[in-house]
C-alpha cells in the first residue's frame, strides 16, 4: 500500500520528531534540570510524541490501528494531546515573556520553572476532560425536514437514524457498543445509515463491539458506506462480515425504498476517496454521479458520503439529504476551523444549498489515535424525520 510508506514516515518519524524538538526547546530545556530529572522527563515526552511508533512496535504495523487494547491506544493519545496542549501553552508563555522583556528594556519576567507545573497540569486536565468527553455515550440529536415529495408511511413520516465514526477497534469497548445499539433501536428507525469509519484494523480487533451491530433494528434495513478507515482496514476481510451482520454496503450505488409495492425514496452511498490512495487497483473512489444514476427525476434521495466535502457535487446532482461524518466535530475548538477548511467548509451540524441539506455528524465516537473532544459538539446519534409536507 502506497499510503503505508508515506504514513509510516510522517506518523512515526517526521511529525513526532518535530514535537520532540519543540518539547525540548519550549518545555524541557528552559527548566535547567539536572540530568537525573531531565532524562526521565524526556522519556515521558518521548512516549507522548512517539506514541504511534511505540504502539505499533508492540501491536503490529497497522498505521491507524495497532493491535493493542483500545485503552492503550486512547490513553497514549491522551498523553500525546497533553504534550500538544503543553506546547501550545508554552509557546504563548514564551512569547509573552519575550514581549514583556522587550517592552521593559530587559527587565526580569516570571520564571519558566514556576510556570511549567501550571502549564503541564492545565494541559493534562484539558486532555483528560477531552478523553472523558470522547468516551461518553453519544447524545441523540434530532432534525425534522419537510418536503411534499417525502413518503407518507403508516406513522406519517420516514425516520432515518445515522451512526458514524464509531472506530470500533481503537476507541471504545463492547459495553459502549451495546449501549449505542440500544439507543439507536430505541429511536424506532425506518432506516439506519452507517456513514463510515465504523471500524479500525482487522476483524478480530473489534469482534465483540461489531457483533452488537447485528442487533440494529430498522423497518426498511441497515445500510452503510466505507470511510477512509475501512480502506486502511482490510476491506476484503470485512465485506463478508458486513453481510453477515445484515448491513448492506453501498459502493457508488443506490437502492430503492419500496413501500406497498411502490418506490418512494432512494438510499445512495459513495465510496471514500481514500480507496484510490491505499488500495490496489480495482477499488473505486467517490463517484456521486454513478451513485445517483438511474434515480427518476423528482424522487427523494438520501445520500451517504463519509466526507462532507462531496456535498457540493451531491447538491448539484439533486440529493435531498446528504449524511456525513469524518470530521469528528473538529476535535478541539480552534482546530475545528482547520478541519472545516480541509472538508469544503463543513465540520459539524446542519448546512443547506438550495433544496439540498447536509448533516455533518460530529461522530458517534471517534478515532482512538486522537481521542479528544474539547469545546466542540458531543458525540451524537443523528435522528432525521422526513415529513411529507410543504416546506
Ligand atoms: Fe474518516
Amino acid at each position: 500500500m502506497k499510503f503505508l510508506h508515506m504514513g509510516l514516515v510522517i506518523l512515526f518519524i517526521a511529525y513526532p520528531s518535530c514535537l520532540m524538538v519543540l518539547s525540548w526547546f519550549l518545555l524541557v530545556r528552559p527548566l535547567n534540570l539536572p540530568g537525573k530529572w531531565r532524562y526521565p522527563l524526556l522519556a515521558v515526552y518521548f512516549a507522548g510524541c512517539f506514541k504511534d511508533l511505540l504502539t505499533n512496535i508492540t501491536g503490529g504495523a497497522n498505521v491507524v490501528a495497532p493491535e493493542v487494547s483500545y485503552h492503550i491506544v486512547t490513553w497514549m493519545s491522551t498523553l500525546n494531546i497533553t504534550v500538544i496542549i503543553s506546547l501550545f501553552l508554552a509557546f504563548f508563555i514564551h512569547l509573552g515573556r519575550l514581549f514583556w522583556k522587550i517592552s521593559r528594556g530587559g527587565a526580569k519576567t516570571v520564571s519558566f520553572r514556576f510556570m511549567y507545573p501550571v502549564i503541564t497540569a492545565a494541559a493534562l486536565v484539558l486532555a483528560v476532560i477531552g478523553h472523558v468527553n470522547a468516551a461518553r455515550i453519544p447524545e441523540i440529536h434530532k432534525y425534522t425536514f419537510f418536503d411534499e415529495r417525502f413518503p407518507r408511511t403508516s406513522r406519517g413520516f420516514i425516520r432515518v437514524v445515522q451512526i458514524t465514526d464509531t472506530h470500533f477497534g481503537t476507541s471504545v469497548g463492547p459495553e459502549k457498543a451495546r449501549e449505542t445499539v440500544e439507543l439507536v433501536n430505541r429511536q424506532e428507525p425506518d432506516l439506519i445509515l452507517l456513514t463510515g469509519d465504523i471500524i479500525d484494523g482487522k476483524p478480530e480487533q473489534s469482534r465483540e463491539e461489531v457483533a452488537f451491530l447485528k442487533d440494529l433494528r430498522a423497518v426498511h434495513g441497515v445500510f452503510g458506506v466505507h470511510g477512509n478507515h475501512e480502506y486502511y482496514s482490510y476491506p476484503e476481510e470485512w465485506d463478508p462480515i458486513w453481510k453477515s451482520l445484515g448491513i448492506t454496503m453501498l459502493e457508488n450505488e443506490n437502492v430503492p425504498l419500496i413501500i406497498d409495492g411502490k418506490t418512494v425514496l432512494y438510499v445512495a452511498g459513495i465510496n471514500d476517496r481514500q480507496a484510490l490512495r491505499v488500495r490496489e487497483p480495482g477499488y473505486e473512489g467517490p463517484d456521486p454521479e454513478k451513485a445517483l444514476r438511474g434515480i427518476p427525476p423528482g424522487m427523494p434521495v438520501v445520500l451517504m458520503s463519509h466526507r462532507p466535502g462531496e456535498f457540493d457535487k451531491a447538491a448539484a446532482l439533486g440529493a435531498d439529504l446528504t449524511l456525513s461524518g469524518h470530521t469528528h466535530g473538529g476535535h478541539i475548538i480552534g482546530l475545528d476551523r482547520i478541519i472545516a477548511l480541509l472538508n469544503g467548509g463543513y465540520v459539524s451540524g446542519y448546512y443547506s444549498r438550495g433544496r439540498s441539506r447536509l448533516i455533518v455528524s460530529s461522530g458517534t465516537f471517534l478515532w482512538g489515535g486522537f481521542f479528544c473532544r474539547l469545546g466542540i459538539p458531543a458525540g451524537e446519534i443523528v435522528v432525521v424525520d422526513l415529513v411529507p409536507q410543504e416546506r
Side-chain angles (χ1 to χ4, degrees):
M1 287 194 266
K2 274 183 291 176
F3 168 82
L4 271 183
H5 303 300
M6 196 176 67
L8 282 172
V9 173
I10 294 173
L11 202 69
F12 292 169
I13 312 288
Y15 172 63
S17 298
C18 290
L19 284 186
M20 196 66 208
V21 168
L22 287 170
S23 297
W24 166 252
F25 282 108
L26 291 179
L27 289 163
V28 181
R29 198 175 79 149
L31 289 173
N32 284 323
L33 291 173
K36 68 171 181 174
W37 293 111
R38 182 181 279 186
Y39 294 124
L41 190 59
L42 275 174
V44 174
Y45 279 102
F46 182 85
C49 296
F50 286 86
K51 56 104 178 166
D52 291 300
L53 184 66
L54 295 174
T55 51
N56 273 267
I57 285 170
T58 48
N62 185 337
V63 176
V64 297
E67 292 170 57
V68 292
S69 153
Y70 72 91
H71 291 295
I72 295 175
V73 177
T74 54
W75 282 107
M76 284 298 277
S77 162
T78 300
L79 181 60
N80 175 256
I81 288 162
T82 305
V83 173
I84 293 170
I85 297 174
S86 299
L87 282 173
F88 186 77
L89 297 175
F91 172 77
F92 285 103
I93 282 173
H94 284 296
L95 203 65
R97 291 172 80 231
L98 186 68
F99 278 126
W100 176 274
K101 248 185 175 173
I102 292 168
S103 63
R104 301 291 164 113
K108 270 204 156 188
T109 62
V110 179
S111 156
F112 183 78
R113 295 181 80 157
F114 167 74
M115 295 303 298
Y116 176 81
V118 178
I119 290 171
T120 315
L124 183 62
V125 167
L126 288 172
V128 170
I129 292 172
H131 183 117
V132 171
N133 287 342
R136 274 188 212 287
I137 289 295
E139 295 177 0
I140 302 290
H141 291 158
K142 291 189 172 174
Y143 296 82
T144 304
F145 296 136
F146 299 92
D147 194 308
E148 65 275 16
R149 296 173 304 125
F150 290 155
R152 189 173 297 281
T153 62
S154 52
R155 76 184 341 178
F157 57 87
I158 290 275
R159 175 163 291 168
V160 181
V161 176
Q162 178 202 17
I163 51 176
T164 189
D165 298 85
T166 46
H167 289 277
F168 293 140
T170 62
S171 60
V172 295
E175 192 51 31
K176 291 211 167 88
R178 185 185 61 75
E179 286 182 56
T180 302
V181 166
E182 281 176 9
L183 254 179
V184 169
N185 288 342
R186 233 175 280 152
Q187 309 313 309
E188 302 181 339
D190 290 302
L191 285 167
I192 297 175
L193 303 183
L194 281 59
T195 53
D197 285 7
I198 297 303
I199 49 85
D200 274 315
K202 293 180 176 171
E204 51 269 30
Q205 285 175 248
S206 53
R207 192 180 299 281
E208 282 184 82
E209 292 90 326
V210 168
F212 287 108
L213 297 178
K214 197 169 188 173
D215 298 332
L216 288 171
R217 293 284 173 265
V219 178
H220 298 290
V222 184
F223 299 90
V225 286
H226 294 105
N228 48 325
H229 283 243
E230 271 78 30
Y231 292 114
Y232 306 141
S233 304
Y234 315 92
E236 63 288 344
E237 289 183 34
W238 278 101
D239 281 345
I241 295 173
W242 299 128
K243 281 197 191 91
S244 73
L245 295 168
I247 299 168
T248 306
M249 298 302 271
L250 298 179
E251 299 180 67
N252 291 330
E253 57 192 324
N254 62 72
V255 289
L257 177 64
I258 299 170
I259 298 177
D260 296 333
K262 216 175 126 198
T263 299
V264 293
L265 180 143
Y266 280 81
V267 180
I270 58 175
N271 293 346
D272 188 82
R273 67 167 187 248
Q274 208 66 29
L276 294 172
R277 295 176 66 185
V278 302
R279 308 311 308 181
E280 300 301 325
Y283 281 86
E284 262 182 14
D287 190 342
E289 274 182 39
K290 188 178 171 196
L292 301 179
R293 198 171 291 157
I295 298 177
M299 190 61 78
V301 179
V302 177
L303 175 72
M304 293 178 284
S305 168
H306 178 62
R307 294 186 205 232
E310 301 291 336
F311 174 58
D312 294 356
K313 263 190 218 162
L317 290 165
D320 294 274
L321 171 63
T322 302
L323 295 175
S324 294
H326 182 64
T327 58
H328 306 161
H331 285 285
I332 299 175
I333 190 165
L335 181 62
D336 62 338
R337 296 300 94 206
I338 297 168
I339 291 179
L341 279 176
L342 296 172
N343 287 279
Y346 309 116
V347 65
S348 72
Y350 171 71
Y351 304 86
S352 67
R353 187 171 277 269
R355 288 179 72 93
S356 286
R357 293 110 163 175
L358 167 69
I359 294 171
V360 185
S361 166
S362 61
T364 303
F365 295 106
L366 37 75
W367 180 47
F370 201 87
F371 203 66
C372 186
R373 278 188 199 277
L374 269 179
I376 55 133
E380 64 181 338
I381 292 168
V382 171
V383 177
V384 188
D385 288 345
L386 302 177
V387 182
Q389 280 175 25
E390 269 186 46
R391 312 179 160 222

